Amino acid sequence: MIVDVVTIFPQMIEPALAEGVIGRARTKGLVEVKARDLRDYTSDKHRVVDDVAFGGGPGMVMKPEPIFRAVEEISAERGAPTAVILMTPQGRQFSHAEALRFSRMERIIVLCGRYEGIDERVAEALVTDEISIGDYVLTGGELPALVVIDAVVRLVPGVVGDDQSVANDSFVEGLLDFPHYTRPADFRGMKVPDVLLSGHHAEIERWRREQQRLRTEKRRPDLVGRHGVNKESKS
Ligand code: JAH
């Protein structure tokens, strides 16, 4: 998979994706991530990427020309992308299902905005998916882009070593995860539940599933009954 990220702050993207599971996936050649400086696609001496808003009002708007040129040049270099994703609070909410869909694509381009907004013609003519990561406003699309890329790339086959752990992700099953414990069995008087020390695998599985149900009901009632897997089926 190839991910091209268009941003005026490539240094926010590159180092964040050099570590851990995603960093290893890149060195293994499972995925290529390249941060592209939007200013490299300007044609004026001052490499200007923004301008005043038609109709007035505070704040600057990102100019369409550099963004169009960036997407066109990247497409010419790589081949046409399957998705051109714009990070914006106006987008639909990102989800595990959406991550899975993007993870099956050969090439994606992620556009990061800054300022008060992006010229609407970018969304109209260039963008296939407008994506939000939640109902809050940030100072730009770079952090949301990192969130999306992390969630997508870990679903590319081979990136996460144990595909059992991907299959068991909360939100795949539609349930929150169960509580985890490691040694010591007694930490400052706080005991690990006996069942986990029992060695009874069937009982442990039953306990974990029950914990998942209780947690999901209590913390995320909105998830209950959404995926179908979480009610009666599967124990
Ligand atoms: C803010 C451009 N849903 C999170 C999110 C995504 C993008 C932005 N903010 C929040 C943003 C300013 C300029 C994008």
Side-chain angles (χ1 to χ4, degrees), residues 149-214:
I149 292 164
D150 188 278
V152 168
V153 169
R154 72 181 282 285
L155 296 176
V156 171
V159 169
V160 168
D162 183 1
D163 37 292
Q164 253 327 85
S165 79
V166 168
N168 289 342
D169 279 342
S170 335
F171 310 119
V172 172
E173 300 186 300
L175 288 172
L176 299 185
D177 205 357
F178 51 76
H180 297 255
Y181 296 90
T182 186
R183 290 178 290 188
D186 181 338
F187 176 66
R188 300 183 178 181
M190 295 179 279
K191 306 274 198 335
V192 171
D194 282 330
V195 61
L196 297 179
L197 312 177
S198 70
H200 288 108
H201 289 303
E203 259 197 73
I204 290 169
E205 261 202 63
R206 196 158 48 236
W207 180 85
R208 285 177 167 168
R209 186 63 66 181
E210 184 58 17
Q211 290 297 310
Q212 288 189 274
R213 285 210 191 88
L214 290 169

Side-chain angles (χ1 to χ4, degrees), residues 62 87-90 112-118 131-142 144:
M62 290 189 91
M87 306 314 309
T88 168
Q90 278 72 53
C112 307
R114 284 268 149 180
Y115 314 110
E116 293 314 301
I118 301 186
I131 297 292
S132 167
I133 63 161
D135 292 340
Y136 35 83
V137 179
L138 301 170
T139 57
E142 285 78 9

Side-chain angles (χ1 to χ4, degrees), residues 42-173:
T42 54
S43 42
D44 63 307
K45 177 157 117 275
H46 294 106
R47 294 162 48 100
V48 174
V49 297
D50 61 339
D51 203 344
V52 294
F54 275 124
M60 302 294 275
V61 175
M62 290 189 91
K63 293 160 60 66
E65 294 97 329
I67 299 174
F68 271 77
R69 198 176 147 209
V71 169
E72 285 160 2
E73 287 190 19
I74 293 163
S75 303
E77 178 185 327
R78 303 287 206 187
T82 310
V84 177
I85 302 166
L86 175 63
M87 306 314 309
T88 168
Q90 278 72 53
R92 68 178 181 276
Q93 168 91 39
F94 191 54
S95 66
H96 193 86
E98 204 76 49
L100 195 60
R101 187 171 74 83
F102 292 137
S103 77
R104 293 173 174 148
M105 297 178 176
E106 203 57 56
R107 288 181 296 281
I108 63 173
I109 297 176
V110 182
L111 304 178
C112 307
R114 284 268 149 180
Y115 314 110
E116 293 314 301
I118 301 186
D119 188 295
E120 189 62 21
R121 290 164 290 192
V122 169
E124 286 169 2
L126 224 45
V127 166
T128 61
D129 298 88
E130 293 184 67
I131 297 292
S132 167
I133 63 161
D135 292 340
Y136 35 83
V137 179
L138 301 170
T139 57
E142 285 78 9
L143 292 172
L146 289 170
V147 167
V148 167
I149 292 164
D150 188 278
V152 168
V153 169
R154 72 181 282 285
L155 296 176
V156 171
V159 169
V160 168
D162 183 1
D163 37 292
Q164 253 327 85
S165 79
V166 168
N168 289 342
D169 279 342
S170 335
F171 310 119
V172 172
E173 300 186 300

